[in-house]
Amino acid sequence: MKTEVRAKTLQLNHFIGGEFSAGSSGQTFDTINPATNEVIATVALGTADDIDRAAKAARKAFETGPWPRMSIRERCDVLRKIGDIILAKREVLARAESMDAGKPISESLEGDIPRSAYNFHFFADYAQSVHEDLFSVGEYERHMAVREPLGVCGLITPWNLPLYLATWKIAPCLAMGNTCILKPAEWTPYTATLFAEIVQEAGLPKGVFNIVHGLGANGAGEALTRHPLVDSISFTGETSTGKAIMAAGAQTLKKLSFELGGKGANIVFADADLEDALSTSVRAAFRNQGEICLAGSRLFVEDKVYPDFVERLVEKVKQIKVGDPLDPKTQMGALISKEHLQKVEGYLEMGKKEGKLLTGGTRLAELPNGNFLTPSVFTDLPFNSRFCQEEIFGPALPVIPFKSEEEVINMTNSTPYGLSASVWSTDVDRCHRLSTKLRSGLVWVNCWFVRELRAPFGGQKSSGLGREGGRYSLDFFSQTKTITYKYKK
Ligand code: NAD
C-alpha cells in the first residue's frame, strides 16, 4: 500500500462530526481496483489523533445531541430515509462497490446494495417493536427493565461485503440511540464514504455517524479498540483479528461482538435432490469469488454417488464465467488484492501436492493485470489437511467422500470454525440428527444462504462471539437499567 499524495485522483476523506476532513497526518493510501490493479482513489490514512477527534465528536453527540433523546419512532423515520436514499443511488453504489471489491456488478446491484437498504428498512420497522420488561411484586412494587443505548460504538468491518456488512451494524446501532465510528476495511473504503453523503442527505444529526479510514493493527482500527471514550466494538473479520481486538479492548472493558471466519460445509447424501444440491454447492463455493465467510468451502458427498456427482460438478464449474466485474454477464470477478491472490495460489500448490486438481486454479490470460483466478475443484485431499481445515477465502473447493453419518459429522466438526453448514437429504430424521450434532451457528437443510433478518446470525467455536440479527443486534447495541418503584399504600 502506497502513501504518496497524487494529483487529480479521487480523494476519500474521514467523516468526523458531520464534516469530511483529511487526516491529521496528511498521509494517504491508495485504494486499488482488483480487476486492473489501478488506483481508484487516495484515502486519508487515519491515526490515533483522528480516532480521538471522532471519539470526541461521537461522545459529544451522544451526551448533548438530540439523537439519543429522540423517540424511537423519530429515529426510525431517519433510518427509513437512509434506506430509501441507498435504493435511489443503487447504480452508483453498486458500481463503486464492484470497482473497489472486484465483485460482479450483478451481485452488487441485486445483492449487496439492495440488502444494505433493507438493513435500514428492516430495523426501521423492527426496532419499534423492541420490548422492555416489567416485574410486579404485589400491587405496590414495580421493577422496570428499561433499555438504554450503550454510548459510542466502534464498528470495524471487512472488505468482502463492504456496505452490506457496515450497514448491518450501523442500522441497529443507530436505532438504539447510540452514536458510532466506522472503520471500514482499508481495501474497500469507497462505498462507506458515499454512505456518509447519504446520512448527511437524510438529516442525521452531526457527530452521530463518523468514519475514520485507515489500517487495522497499529493504525486507526487498533486505536479505536483502545480509545477510552468508546464503549463497545462490533467487529467482523478474521478470527486472529478478533483475538487481538479482545486483548486491546480488555483495557477499557469494552462490550464485544465478533463475527469471524468460517470453513462451511455442504453435506450431500445419496437420497438428496442431487440437481439442487449440485447447483447450490457450486454457488456456495464460488459466489463472490469464494470470499464469503459462509462459503460452502468443503463439499462432502456420500460415496455411493460420489464419482458421478464429482463429474457433473466439474462440468458445472467449468461453465462459470470469470471476468470483468463491471460486465453484467460476469459470474466471478477478481480477488481483492495481489497479496490475497498469492495467498490463495499458495493453497492451490499445497492442494496439488497432497491431492488432485480436477479443474481451474489458473490466472486469466485475457485479463493479466487483474487478480483473476478460475474456480478450482480438488479431490483426494485428507479431510484434516490444511487445505480442508483453514479458511482459504478464495475459489478453491475440496470434495471429500463419506460412508456414514457419524463419519461426516466428525469430519465437518473437525475444524476450529463453526459458522455454517448445509445438509442435503430427503430423510427428515437424518436432517434433524445432523442439525443437532453439527457444531455450527447456522445449519441449512436443503438450502444455503437463506436469511431471515429476525433470526440470529453468528458462529460457534472460533467463528464468533454473540449474535447479530433482529433482537440479538438490538440487545447488543443497548443495555438495561432496572428502575424500581415502591409505592405507598
Ligand atoms: P481482517 O480481520 O483482516 O480485517 C477486518 C477489519 O479489521 C479491517 O477493517 C481491518 O483494518 C481491521 N483490523 C485488522 N487488524 C486490526 C486490529 N489489530 N485492531 C483493530 N482492527 C483491525 O479481515 P478481512 O480480511 O477484512 O475479512 C475477511 C475475514 O472476515 C474472513 O476471515 C471472513 O470469514 C471474515 N468474515 C466473517 C463474517 C461473519 O459474519 N462471520 C462476514 C464477513 C467476513
Side-chain angles (χ1 to χ4, degrees), residues 367-411:
L367 291 170
N369 295 333
N371 312 321
F372 296 95
L373 206 50
T374 56
S376 58
V377 175
F378 286 82
T379 55
D380 297 10
L381 280 163
F383 80 91
N384 54 3
S385 60
R386 282 185 59 197
F387 196 98
C388 296
Q389 293 282 313
E390 296 176 8
E391 187 182 41
I392 299 173
F393 224 55
L397 177 66
V399 199
I400 303 159
F402 68 89
K403 281 191 171 57
S404 68
E405 274 179 40
E406 195 189 359
E407 184 192 16
V408 79
I409 290 167
N410 287 338
M411 290 196 291

Side-chain angles (χ1 to χ4, degrees), residues 209-399:
F209 172 75
N210 305 273
I211 299 178
V212 178
H213 290 294
L215 308 183
N218 303 313
E222 186 175 333
L224 183 60
T225 63
R226 295 189 184 280
H227 202 287
L229 293 181
V230 175
D231 298 289
S232 69
I233 298 287
S234 174
F235 166 73
T236 300
E238 282 189 10
T239 298
S240 56
T241 311
K243 290 177 186 172
I245 291 176
M246 185 175 252
Q251 300 307 314
T252 44
L253 212 65
K254 296 199 192 322
K255 187 175 183 183
L256 300 173
S257 163
F258 289 163
E259 297 293 343
L260 308 175
K263 188 75 179 177
N266 266 276
I267 303 168
V268 181
F269 286 89
D271 65 357
D273 175 341
L274 294 176
E275 203 46 54
D276 194 6
L278 179 70
S279 51
T280 309
S281 298
V282 170
R283 227 166 23 93
F286 301 113
R287 185 168 168 188
N288 208 48
Q289 302 72 245
E291 297 168 323
I292 300 194
C293 54
L294 300 169
S297 50
R298 292 174 295 164
L299 176 55
F300 295 104
V301 181
E302 193 170 354
D303 57 358
K304 284 181 249 175
V305 291
Y306 181 83
D308 183 53
F309 196 90
V310 171
E311 200 181 311
R312 287 161 65 196
L313 174 79
V314 169
E315 282 318 302
K316 228 178 173 63
V317 170
K318 281 182 179 165
Q319 288 162 20
I320 294 174
K321 191 177 174 323
V322 186
D324 177 4
L326 296 182
D327 179 343
K329 292 198 197 83
T330 292
Q331 293 168 310
M332 239 181 72
L335 299 193
I336 189 69
S337 64
K338 274 187 186 164
E339 291 85 340
H340 188 57
L341 173 70
Q342 283 158 7
K343 181 187 143 193
V344 174
E345 284 179 328
Y347 278 103
L348 299 184
E349 286 312 309
M350 207 185 279
K352 283 189 232 170
K353 274 194 199 120
E354 290 184 54
K356 199 164 145 197
L357 171 67
L358 300 188
T359 183
T362 52
R363 294 198 184 189
L364 269 200
E366 57 272 36
L367 291 170
N369 295 333
N371 312 321
F372 296 95
L373 206 50
T374 56
S376 58
V377 175
F378 286 82
T379 55
D380 297 10
L381 280 163
F383 80 91
N384 54 3
S385 60
R386 282 185 59 197
F387 196 98
C388 296
Q389 293 282 313
E390 296 176 8
E391 187 182 41
I392 299 173
F393 224 55
L397 177 66
V399 199

Side-chain angles (χ1 to χ4, degrees), residues 51-313:
I51 288 290
D52 188 53
R53 276 197 302 136
K56 284 176 177 150
R59 194 86 233 166
K60 188 170 165 213
F62 183 74
E63 301 294 349
T64 61
W67 188 251
R69 281 143 212 105
M70 282 159 70
S71 72
I72 191 149
R73 198 174 300 158
E74 289 170 312
R75 283 202 298 269
C76 287
D77 284 344
V78 179
L79 258 55
R80 199 165 293 109
K81 215 167 178 177
I82 294 174
D84 292 346
I85 303 173
I86 293 175
L87 278 186
K89 297 191 170 183
R90 190 174 77 136
E91 307 264 333
V92 173
L93 289 165
R95 202 179 154 79
E97 200 74 300
S98 283
M99 281 176 70
D100 215 12
K103 67 175 63 204
I105 189 77
S106 58
E107 265 180 38
S108 301
L109 265 178
E110 305 305 326
D112 291 46
I113 305 305
R115 169 60 194 273
S116 303
Y118 186 52
N119 287 338
F120 277 92
H121 288 147
F122 168 77
F123 278 108
D125 292 335
Y126 188 84
Q128 296 194 50
S129 68
V130 71
H131 79 276
E132 295 173 325
D133 292 320
L134 173 69
F135 303 90
S136 300
V137 181
E139 289 176 45
Y140 291 91
E141 191 179 315
R142 298 274 187 272
H143 301 261
M144 289 188 284
V146 177
R147 208 180 268 267
E148 294 187 343
L150 286 177
V152 177
C153 302
L155 314 175
I156 303 180
T157 49
W159 49 260
N160 64 325
L161 300 162
L163 192 63
Y164 174 141
L165 289 178
T167 51
W168 181 229
K169 296 183 189 301
I170 299 164
C173 172
L174 296 185
M176 288 291 92
N178 300 286
T179 62
C180 64
I181 302 162
L182 172 69
K183 208 302 278 171
E186 53 271 43
W187 306 100
T188 51
Y190 199 175
T191 48
T193 314
L194 297 175
F195 177 78
E197 292 172 6
I198 291 174
V199 305
Q200 276 185 321
E201 197 179 327
L204 191 74
K206 288 184 177 190
V208 172
F209 172 75
N210 305 273
I211 299 178
V212 178
H213 290 294
L215 308 183
N218 303 313
E222 186 175 333
L224 183 60
T225 63
R226 295 189 184 280
H227 202 287
L229 293 181
V230 175
D231 298 289
S232 69
I233 298 287
S234 174
F235 166 73
T236 300
E238 282 189 10
T239 298
S240 56
T241 311
K243 290 177 186 172
I245 291 176
M246 185 175 252
Q251 300 307 314
T252 44
L253 212 65
K254 296 199 192 322
K255 187 175 183 183
L256 300 173
S257 163
F258 289 163
E259 297 293 343
L260 308 175
K263 188 75 179 177
N266 266 276
I267 303 168
V268 181
F269 286 89
D271 65 357
D273 175 341
L274 294 176
E275 203 46 54
D276 194 6
L278 179 70
S279 51
T280 309
S281 298
V282 170
R283 227 166 23 93
F286 301 113
R287 185 168 168 188
N288 208 48
Q289 302 72 245
E291 297 168 323
I292 300 194
C293 54
L294 300 169
S297 50
R298 292 174 295 164
L299 176 55
F300 295 104
V301 181
E302 193 170 354
D303 57 358
K304 284 181 249 175
V305 291
Y306 181 83
D308 183 53
F309 196 90
V310 171
E311 200 181 311
R312 287 161 65 196
L313 174 79

Side-chain angles (χ1 to χ4, degrees), residues 14 16 22-25 27-29 43-51 53 183 211-216 218-221 223:
H14 307 311
I16 298 175
S24 59
S25 71
Q27 278 192 312
T28 61
F29 63 98
V43 190
L45 182 70
T47 61
D49 280 348
D50 297 316
I51 288 290
R53 276 197 302 136
K183 208 302 278 171
I211 299 178
V212 178
H213 290 294
L215 308 183
N218 303 313

